[in-house]
Structures are given as C-alpha cells and as structure tokens.
C-alpha cells in the first residue's frame, strides 16, 4: 500500500511534465499500463519507450493541476487532464481517470479510462 505522500510525489512529478522519470521511479519493473480496452503494455522498459515515443510526436504537453485523487489501500484513482500541442499547432485534450494498483511504493498495474470521442481537437491559432 503506498503512502499518501508517495502518491502526491508521483502526481507532482507528472504534473511537472516529467512523465518518463515518473515511470522510471514509480512503476515496478513488471508494471503494466492499459488504455481503455486495448491490450496492456507490460514492463517498465516498454512503458518508458512508449512514453518517450508518444512525447516525441508532440510539440508540448500541459498537465492540468490534479484536483481529484483517491488512495484506498493498494488502489489509487487519479483524474488527469492533459493538453497536447501537436507539431502543426493543433491541440488535443485527454480527460481521463487512471485506476492504479500499487504494491508497496510502486505501481504494478494502471488502466486509463476515457471516451475517445471526447478527445477534443482544436485547430492551430491564427
């Protein structure tokens, strides 16, 4: 079961857009991540590589301040909102819930829940 302070440190690291380091520091070596009903990605090295590739496809990421998260034993739920700016200047917003299972101070399983239809796109300004 994670300490609440550990979860707060994880949230702070992601909120500062240090996404890769958050995976490296807070996920177990055999951790998995799953987007909605897609097959899970397994293994911290795979998760890090996927995150680096995803971040390499965008110009920038803005992580909104987390206002809602719950810690209940080994289970953590976090409401994330991310704005991704693409190289062409357009943006995409992801409004999602992350449900995590922790073992001690490490995340072992995470699943993101969001409605793909709500991933809003805005054209570039100008």
């Amino acid at each position: 079961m994670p300490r609440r302070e550990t979860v707060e440190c994880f949230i702070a690291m992601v909120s500062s857009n240090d996404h890769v380091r958050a995976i490296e520091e807070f996920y177990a070596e055999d951790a998995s991540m799953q987007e909605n009903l897609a097959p899970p990605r397994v293994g911290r090295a795979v998760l890090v590589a996927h995150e680096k590739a995803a971040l390499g496809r965008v110009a920038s990421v803005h992580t909104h301040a987390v206002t809602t998260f719950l810690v209940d034993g080994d289970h953590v739920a976090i409401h994330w909102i991310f704005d991704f700016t693409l190289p062409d200047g357009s943006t995409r917003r992801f409004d999602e819930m992350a449900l995590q299972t922790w073992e001690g101070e490490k995340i072992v399983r995470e699943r993101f829940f969001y409605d793909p239809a709500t991933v809003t796109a805005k054209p570039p300004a100008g």
Side-chain angles (χ1 to χ4, degrees), residues 71-120:
V71 179
D72 183 16
D74 290 336
H75 301 284
V76 173
I78 305 170
H79 179 209
W80 295 109
I81 300 175
F82 301 103
D83 290 330
F84 294 91
T85 301
L86 304 181
D88 69 0
S90 65
T91 61
R92 303 286 184 276
R93 173 167 286 180
F94 279 78
D95 185 333
E96 63 188 12
M97 288 298 299
L99 182 58
Q100 301 169 334
T101 302
W102 291 61
E103 287 181 3
E105 299 291 300
K106 299 288 184 182
I107 300 164
V108 294
R109 192 168 44 256
E110 182 170 46
R111 186 167 173 194
F112 300 104
F113 296 90
Y114 57 92
D115 181 352
T118 65
V119 177
T120 54

Side-chain angles (χ1 to χ4, degrees), residues 4-112:
R4 184 174 183 86
E5 295 80 17
T6 301
V7 175
E8 290 170 342
C9 286
F10 168 74
I11 290 170
M13 190 173 289
V14 173
S15 296
S16 72
N17 290 324
D18 204 350
H19 301 266
V20 172
R21 187 167 147 232
I23 294 169
E24 292 169 341
E25 291 193 18
F26 289 95
Y27 288 70
E29 188 173 330
D30 60 347
S32 68
M33 265 188 205
Q34 182 177 4
E35 307 280 337
N36 286 326
L37 298 174
R41 298 180 296 278
V42 179
R44 185 173 52 222
V46 170
L47 304 181
V48 166
H50 182 272
E51 192 70 13
K52 285 179 178 178
L55 293 171
R57 292 189 297 270
V58 300
S60 67
V61 179
H62 169 72
T63 305
H64 291 255
V66 170
T67 59
T68 305
F69 75 99
L70 304 168
V71 179
D72 183 16
D74 290 336
H75 301 284
V76 173
I78 305 170
H79 179 209
W80 295 109
I81 300 175
F82 301 103
D83 290 330
F84 294 91
T85 301
L86 304 181
D88 69 0
S90 65
T91 61
R92 303 286 184 276
R93 173 167 286 180
F94 279 78
D95 185 333
E96 63 188 12
M97 288 298 299
L99 182 58
Q100 301 169 334
T101 302
W102 291 61
E103 287 181 3
E105 299 291 300
K106 299 288 184 182
I107 300 164
V108 294
R109 192 168 44 256
E110 182 170 46
R111 186 167 173 194
F112 300 104

